[in-house]
Amino acid sequence: MLDGPFDVFALIIAIIAFLIAIKASSQAAELRRRLNSLEEMFYAQRPVQPPPLMPAAVQAEAPATASAEPPPLAPEAAAEAAPPPPVTEEVSPPPLEPGADAPPPLPAPAPGFEERLGTRWVVWIGGLALALGGFFMVRYSIEAGLVGPGVRVFLGGVFALALLGAGEWSRRKESISNIAALPIANIPAILTAAGTAVAFATIYAAYALYGFLVPATAFVLLGLVALGTLAAALLHGPALAGLGVVGAFVTPILVSSSKPDYWALYIYLAIVTAASFGLARIRLWRWLAVTTIAFAVLWIFPGLDTSDLQVAPHAFHVIAGFVLSALLVVCGFMFGPSIEDGEIEPVSSSSLGAYLFGAMLIVLSSAHADLALIAFTLLVGATLFVAWRAPAATGALGAAAATVFIVFAEWAVLANPDMLVLPGGPMVGVGPVATDSSVTLHLVMAAVFAAGFGLAGFFAQGRSNSAIIPVVWSAAGVATPIAILVALYARIAHLDRSIPFAILAVLLAAAFGAATEALMRRETRPGVATSTALFATGTLGALALALTFALEKGWLTIALALMSLGTAWISLQRPIPVLRRLAAIFAAIVTARIGYDPRIVGDAVGTTPIFNWLLWGYGLPAASFWAASLFLRRRGDDTPLRVVEAAAILFTALLAFMEIRHFATGGGMTSAPSLLECALQACVAFAMAIGLERLRLRSRSIVHNVGAVVLTAIGGLVGVFGLFILENPMLWRVDVGGAVFNLLLLGYALPAVLLLLLSYAVVGERGKAYANTIAGGALVFALAYVTLEIRRFYHGPILTSGGTTGAEQYTYSIGWLGFGVVLLGVGILVNSERARLASAVVIALTILKAFVIDMSTLTGVYRALSFMCLGIVLVAIGWLYQRILFRRQVAPPPAQQTSS
């Protein structure tokens, strides 16, 4: 069949097959050894029956000479009755008491290296050498032209008969001579296996290479050899099965031809497959069935990569193998082995799945030829039928669903010129013209597959006492129609807006919804609850697809968010556990969607502040997720609830941040950040953190807890890097605006107030260090505001213009000192230790400034006034602390004692 480069490949396959057979033989030998050991133990431990005792009276009357002469002994018995050797000083073990068990026999010693080499390895290598020698002799005679075709075939047949005769003669010789053959190095079995392989090669060469045999004769002869192999393997064991069957699969590679005849090849392989499956079924050799399936699937690949792919013989190969697997391998179906009801058997399922994989390869390699599609459809339908009758093959449903999706997905991605385009909604355009036969056939297949999987998945519920069987059916029945619909949408509508496909998705959702309601009303059976959840999942998934098909990008985001809300509400009405997870999945999908395009609708956001696409694209999902979290919380706190709560917080924050970005950039969304934007971002982050701190006290949600901390950190980072570094008006040329109502008020005073409120919100609920850190941030923002406002008074809107005068430096000191006094007054009035400590910090900074900066930069009256004011304030503060805060009560003098 194939040319010379496959010689090495053939040799490797033969050796691998040989090793497989050795492993099977070793397993059989181990089983026989254990059985022999059990038999020996049984006979050794069985007590010997003594002769019947005579009555006492008879014993008394018996003459004394009656027992004087024993019967004559046989030579072996005489040898055993020889006098024992002299007794040594060794103490012999005490005799066994009547009824005691005899000790078990000692296990036979393991064979050494020499025994293994001489009794096993040389036999294995010799059998392999005989088979390969016959094959290569045929190749050599062909290449050298030594003999004609007829003589070659004749010599091959003679060599095969000689090997078969030698194998049978040696088997009978061992049987007659009572010589026990080694089970794992059985010479008769190996000789017979080599002869079987040579016979296969000879008949195949006579038919495919030289045309000596017509197809009918070749079919009969190959069938006879296969049946002979089956019968011989029943006598000789797994060694013959492994070498003979694998050798038969390797034969078409070793005996090659420049013009492959795939019909001859696949007819031959079908006969070999039938023989090996039959043998595997009779002897219950799972390894033989798996090996046969593996080689049969490998034989699908030759010819797939050629331009003139012959679809018919390849289709015959997969169909024949599938039928043989269903008849002989699948447990509980036709002639397959029996199995306990409700159990999925791996070999039964994988055998059907392997041939489905082969049919899929033919479809893909033939560019979806009609004959390949028909064969593939027949095998998928047969898989549903076999799995329906034999639960052991239910696992093949997964392979069927996967191959169906791959076929349609590959067809959708091909992007051939004959693609059809459906109009996007009511627009005028080219309508669907299904004139291409391939498109028509695919549409018919899609309808058949969707209906077949969906109906079978629904009606299979309640037919099994096992939970896994109906779950697999329902999973395939839900996933396959949805996958096919997505593939058709991608192929025909080009992922554009399409009302017809949206209608199809709604119809599919209605069907799944009806199935869900019907299953909810059924009696409780194994797996029905999970199947109901899967159909409910399909309902929501189909609705999501309908929205995807019908809506533009922005509306799709909103629709998916509303799907999360609807799913959460349905979970209250129908307590199906999977619905909670679906709500979280929809939330995750929407989150991933905005990660792809944060502007939701690209450049079509609009320029109107607040009321633009961001409000709908972020606001509606945020509201949906908050409402969904309320529904989900009614039935407990779990992972789906936390996912939805996280999405609610994320979309709320993103709504605020994106709207601020839109407002600060005038709708451009791509400009560099500004002081206005940073100020608003920091204020919003701190405000939302305050809200979450209050909310978490009621909900005790870990998501609200973490969200408050994260928003506080975001606000702090924006403040540090944005307001104090990147957009600091003291460092960069920034127009801060008017004298009082300006960006300084928004960027520094308002964050200070919000941080102060946030510090009070966390007091007693979080660590003291956390609350004090936030309060310290409030103090920094407030002091920065006082400083920048003084700067604004002297320099105008641009704080970087002009130099710093002595009056300005003096004003800084007075302003800081006044700010410290105000803090002290507040601390005294409200009895706040934190405010008083803040006052002390500010006054300490003022003192430091006075001695470090004012003393060196101020001159004249400003230096004097600076220190005078500082001294007066410090004295006044000391008086306040002494007279008000820490006033000491003077003890009254002791009363004078009067004399009586």
Side-chain angles (χ1 to χ4, degrees):
M1 289 297 303
L2 302 176
D3 291 332
F6 288 92
D7 290 345
V8 177
F9 175 65
L11 181 60
I12 293 174
I13 292 181
I15 294 174
I16 293 174
F18 193 70
L19 295 176
I20 294 174
I22 290 173
K23 181 179 179 181
S25 301
S26 301
Q27 294 175 350
E30 180 66 18
L31 292 177
R32 290 188 182 181
R33 187 187 66 78
R34 294 182 180 180
L35 180 61
N36 293 335
S37 300
L38 292 175
E39 290 179 352
E40 293 175 0
M41 292 178 61
F42 174 75
Y43 288 115
Q45 296 177 6
R46 190 172 62 180
V48 180
Q49 297 291 337
L53 298 177
M54 292 184 297
V58 178
Q59 293 181 6
E61 296 176 359
T65 60
S67 60
E69 296 183 1
L73 298 176
E76 295 82 357
E80 294 177 359
V87 179
T88 62
E89 296 299 328
E90 296 180 357
V91 180
S92 59
L96 295 176
E97 297 180 359
D101 294 337
L106 297 176
F113 173 78
E114 183 179 3
E115 182 179 355
R116 293 176 183 272
L117 178 65
T119 62
R120 301 181 183 182
W121 296 352
V122 295
V123 176
W124 298 334
I125 298 174
L128 181 61
L130 283 174
L132 293 177
F135 296 149
F136 292 129
M137 180 59 70
V138 173
R139 287 189 61 86
Y140 174 73
S141 64
I142 294 174
E143 295 172 355
L146 299 179
V147 293
V151 178
R152 299 171 195 164
V153 174
F154 174 75
L155 292 178
V158 171
F159 185 56
L161 291 176
L163 290 174
L164 293 173
E168 181 63 20
W169 178 82
S170 60
R171 185 186 69 83
R172 295 186 179 185
K173 189 69 175 178
E174 290 180 351
S175 176
I176 294 174
S177 60
N178 293 325
I179 298 176
L182 288 175
I184 60 175
N186 193 345
I187 294 177
I190 292 178
L191 290 174
T192 307
T196 301
V198 174
F200 272 115
T202 302
I203 297 174
Y204 179 77
Y207 165 62
L209 297 181
Y210 309 122
F212 292 156
L213 302 175
V214 296
T217 305
F219 181 85
V220 172
L221 291 177
L222 290 174
L224 291 176
V225 173
L227 293 177
T229 304
L230 174 63
L234 290 174
L235 296 174
H236 293 279
L240 178 60
L243 291 178
V245 173
V246 176
F249 274 105
V250 176
T251 296
I253 298 178
L254 299 177
V255 184
S256 60
S257 172
S258 58
K259 289 185 177 182
D261 186 351
Y262 288 104
W263 274 113
L265 170 66
Y266 289 138
I267 290 175
Y268 164 77
L269 292 180
I271 297 172
V272 173
T273 302
S276 60
F277 280 170
L279 176 60
R281 170 63 185 91
I282 294 174
R283 299 298 294 268
L284 296 179
W285 288 338
R286 295 161 58 100
W287 64 267
L288 181 59
V290 173
T291 304
T292 303
I293 294 169
F295 277 102
V297 172
L298 287 177
W299 270 112
I300 299 174
F301 288 93
L304 289 181
D305 57 346
T306 58
S307 57
D308 55 343
L309 173 61
Q310 302 179 25
V311 177
H314 283 78
F316 166 78
H317 176 55
V318 295
I319 292 176
F322 185 93
V323 171
L324 291 173
S325 297
L327 294 177
L328 300 174
V329 177
V330 176
C331 297
F333 184 80
M334 298 300 290
F335 308 109
S338 59
I339 193 174
E340 186 178 353
D341 185 27
E343 181 179 351
I344 298 179
E345 204 273 321
V347 176
S348 301
S349 301
S350 60
S351 62
L352 302 183
Y355 288 104
L356 282 172
F357 173 74
M360 179 196 71
L361 291 180
I362 297 173
V363 172
L364 302 183
S365 301
S366 64
H368 296 250
D370 291 352
L371 181 59
L373 288 173
I374 293 173
F376 177 72
T377 304
L378 291 176
L379 290 190
V380 172
T383 302
L384 295 177
F385 174 74
V386 174
W388 184 272
R389 295 289 304 273
T394 306
L397 294 175
T403 53
V404 167
F405 174 71
I406 292 174
V407 166
F408 279 92
E410 198 263 353
W411 178 66
V413 175
L414 281 178
N416 291 329
D418 61 342
M419 273 191 173
L420 302 180
V421 180
L422 286 180
M427 296 184 301
V428 179
V430 180
V433 182
T435 56
D436 191 294
S437 60
S438 176
V439 174
T440 303
L441 185 58
H442 279 82
L443 293 177
V444 173
M445 287 175 54
V448 171
F449 286 150
F453 277 93
L455 293 175
F458 174 74
F459 288 109
Q461 305 306 311
R463 296 184 68 250
S464 175
N465 294 324
S466 173
I468 187 63
I469 302 295
V471 169
V472 174
W473 274 104
S474 59
V478 170
T480 306
I482 292 178
I484 292 175
L485 184 61
V486 171
L488 292 178
Y489 169 70
R491 177 67 163 84
I492 296 177
H494 292 274
L495 301 180
D496 288 334
R497 181 169 173 262
S498 175
I499 298 301
F501 273 102
I503 295 174
L504 290 177
V506 170
L507 294 177
L508 183 61
F512 286 153
T516 303
E517 288 298 322
L519 293 177
M520 288 287 293
R521 293 192 295 267
R522 287 190 179 182
E523 60 179 352
T524 302
R525 292 294 301 273
V528 171
T530 305
S531 299
T532 304
L534 288 173
F535 276 102
T537 304
T539 303
L540 297 173
L543 287 176
L545 284 179
L547 296 173
T548 304
F549 299 158
L551 300 177
E552 299 291 345
K553 298 177 181 178
W555 288 111
L556 174 60
T557 304
I558 297 173
L560 292 176
L562 293 175
M563 288 293 298
S564 179
L565 173 60
T567 306
W569 180 78
I570 295 174
S571 68
L572 289 178
Q573 312 303 319
R574 295 288 187 270
I576 303 174
V578 74
L579 294 178
R580 298 176 64 86
R581 294 191 290 272
L582 277 177
I585 290 173
F586 282 124
I589 292 174
V590 178
T591 304
R593 166 71 182 84
I594 65 167
Y596 172 73
D597 185 4
R599 295 179 297 177
I600 305 295
V601 290
D603 296 331
V605 176
T607 58
T608 305
I610 307 300
F611 297 99
N612 48 53
W613 249 108
L614 296 174
L615 179 62
W616 316 117
Y618 286 99
L620 289 179
S624 299
F625 294 146
W626 281 115
S629 66
L630 294 178
F631 290 139
L632 295 177
R633 181 167 291 278
R634 295 182 183 180
R635 293 190 178 274
D637 187 355
D638 54 3
T639 301
L641 170 62
R642 295 171 183 175
V643 172
V644 175
E645 286 180 339
I649 296 173
L650 176 64
F651 272 79
T652 304
L654 288 177
L655 171 63
F657 294 154
M658 295 298 289
E659 286 285 9
I660 291 172
R661 178 78 176 152
H662 180 274
F663 172 75
T665 59
M669 303 290 291
T670 57
S671 303
S674 62
L675 178 61
L676 173 63
E677 180 179 354
C678 292
L680 292 174
Q681 302 282 21
C683 292
V684 167
F686 293 142
M688 287 191 295
I690 295 172
L692 285 178
E693 290 290 352
R694 297 299 184 186
L695 179 61
R696 77 179 183 91
L697 297 180
R698 295 195 302 268
S699 65
R700 296 298 176 185
S701 170
I702 187 174
V703 177
H704 297 160
N705 186 7
V706 175
V709 175
V710 170
L711 286 172
T712 302
I714 291 174
L717 292 175
V718 172
V720 172
F721 292 100
L723 297 175
F724 285 95
I725 298 177
L726 298 178
E727 300 298 329
N728 190 340
M730 291 279 287
L731 302 177
W732 312 100
R733 184 180 177 85
V734 178
D735 189 349
V736 298
V740 177
F741 298 99
N742 50 35
L743 293 181
L744 301 178
L745 183 66
L746 180 64
Y748 298 92
L750 185 57
V753 174
L754 292 172
L755 282 173
L756 182 62
L757 295 177
L758 181 59
S759 67
Y760 280 105
V762 300
V763 169
E765 299 295 333
R766 298 189 184 272
K768 187 176 181 180
Y770 184 80
N772 290 337
T773 302
I774 296 176
L779 178 62
V780 171
F781 271 93
L783 188 59
Y785 173 70
V786 171
T787 304
L788 293 175
E789 273 293 341
I790 294 173
R791 183 83 175 174
R792 166 66 180 80
F793 176 78
Y794 282 96
H795 294 267
I798 306 299
L799 303 187
T800 56
S801 62
T804 304
T805 64
E808 182 179 348
Q809 284 288 359
Y810 174 72
T811 309
Y812 287 139
S813 299
I814 295 300
W816 289 13
L817 196 58
F819 179 56
V821 172
V822 171
L823 288 177
L824 179 60
V826 172
I828 294 174
L829 291 176
V830 300
N831 194 22
S832 172
E833 181 184 4
R834 185 181 299 167
R836 297 194 299 270
L837 290 176
S839 170
V841 171
V842 174
I843 293 174
L845 288 175
T846 306
I847 296 172
L848 182 63
K849 178 182 179 297
F851 284 93
V852 174
I853 298 177
D854 293 356
M855 186 177 291
S856 60
T857 59
L858 294 179
T859 59
V861 67
Y862 290 116
R863 178 187 296 179
L865 290 177
S866 175
F867 279 90
M868 288 172 60
C869 291
L870 178 60
I872 293 172
V873 170
L874 292 178
V875 172
I877 291 174
W879 182 84
L880 288 174
Y881 272 84
Q882 293 178 8
R883 296 296 181 178
I884 299 177
L885 294 177
F886 301 102
R887 183 173 56 185
R888 298 177 183 270
Q889 297 291 339
V890 180
Q896 296 181 356
Q897 295 181 356
T898 58
S899 58
S900 57

